[in-house]
Amino acid sequence: MAKKFDLKKGERFALGKGDELSLIQVDLNWRSGADLDAVAFLLNDDGVISEDADFVYYKSNSRSEPYDRTKYGSKKNWRDQTVPMSSDGSVLGSADDLGDGDDESGGDEAGETMHVDLAKVRPGVTEIVFCVTIYDEEGKTSFRDVRDPRIVITNEETGEELCSYDLKEKFSSETAVIAGALVLNEDGDWEFEAVGNGYEGGLETLVDMYQ
């Protein structure tokens, strides 16, 4: 079995060419009673999304199945029973983990999972950024209150964990974190980069960065 790599901030792990490794599972894990959300942005060479569906998040209208009123009845049911999907079908988002509401205990380990098919990533996309944001209408929770944030990259076809990154940064008032990114290097190979950058302003800040 190949060695699993524990990355530090700024380090990269080479995934190889698409014909060697195609299906990637991305697990974003944490301990918190708050409502945290995993989102992804598919970026072009300019570092922005080319279209709205390149922002993969829980409320997206680009989903794993098209809306069918007969099947789902309402759009709320449709969103609850499907997952968000990028425009090219290469990235599938996660069902929304709402947390348990118990911020005092730090919560049991929770998280959300995304799936990436590198073979489906359309030309022009050179980076896929994975982020976690806090949904808190009262503004009382930040990443200071989140325990053990971690991102894990797994070969979905074999189940082999390839690399992981424990975010050991001392966060304070940040409500959005870029955990890591899949980056297309100059040779046309994909690498995973441990990022670990935090921002105030939650999801809105990330959207402003990448639009």
Side-chain angles (χ1 to χ4, degrees):
M1 179 179 292
K3 179 182 178 182
K4 185 261 290 183
F5 290 86
D6 295 315
L7 302 179
K8 296 179 180 179
K9 184 182 177 75
E11 290 184 336
R12 287 190 178 189
F13 176 85
L15 298 175
K17 297 183 184 297
D19 57 355
E20 298 173 359
L21 177 63
S22 178
L23 300 180
I24 301 291
Q25 179 173 306
V26 181
D27 290 295
L28 296 123
N29 300 321
W30 53 76
R31 295 183 186 276
S32 173
D35 180 5
L36 276 65
D37 299 301
V39 301
F41 296 86
L42 286 73
L43 309 180
N44 59 26
D45 280 334
D46 294 324
V48 296
I49 60 175
S50 298
E51 52 188 277
D52 288 345
D54 288 339
F55 170 30
V56 182
Y57 79 119
Y58 56 96
K59 286 188 178 180
S60 174
N61 286 321
S62 177
R63 307 194 73 81
S64 53
E65 291 186 30
Y67 175 58
D68 183 336
R69 182 180 295 275
T70 302
K71 180 176 181 179
Y72 295 106
S74 70
K75 287 198 171 182
K76 181 182 184 305
N77 289 339
W78 171 58
R79 289 193 181 91
D80 288 344
Q81 297 174 41
T82 59
V83 294
M85 182 180 73
S86 62
S87 59
D88 58 11
S90 66
V91 178
L92 289 176
S94 173
D96 193 11
D97 185 330
L98 298 177
D100 60 17
D102 184 3
D103 290 328
E104 296 299 323
S105 68
D108 294 330
E109 184 171 72
E112 297 187 357
T113 298
M114 292 187 161
H115 303 272
V116 181
D117 187 343
L118 296 176
K120 290 183 178 180
V121 179
R122 72 177 188 279
V125 173
T126 57
E127 185 173 1
I128 304 172
V129 181
F130 301 98
C131 314
V132 180
T133 64
I134 294 175
Y135 180 78
D136 177 13
E137 292 182 340
E138 297 181 356
K140 295 181 178 179
T141 306
S142 72
F143 272 92
R144 177 183 54 239
D145 309 304
V146 176
R147 309 288 190 272
D148 304 326
R150 185 170 187 251
I151 182 168
V152 181
I153 304 299
T154 302
N155 181 335
E156 192 158 4
E157 293 180 290
T158 65
E160 177 189 354
E161 183 178 315
L162 302 174
C163 62
S164 64
Y165 169 43
D166 295 319
L167 285 74
K168 298 184 182 299
E169 288 70 26
K170 299 297 183 183
F171 295 116
S172 57
S173 58
E174 297 90 344
T175 51
V177 166
I178 301 173
L182 293 173
V183 181
L184 195 63
N185 66 23
E186 294 179 353
D187 296 325
D189 299 336
W190 288 97
E191 299 177 333
F192 173 75
E193 180 178 358
V195 179
N197 292 336
Y199 302 88
E200 297 182 6
L203 182 60
E204 184 176 349
T205 294
L206 297 178
V207 172
D208 288 342
M209 287 172 54
Y210 294 128
Q211 276 191 334

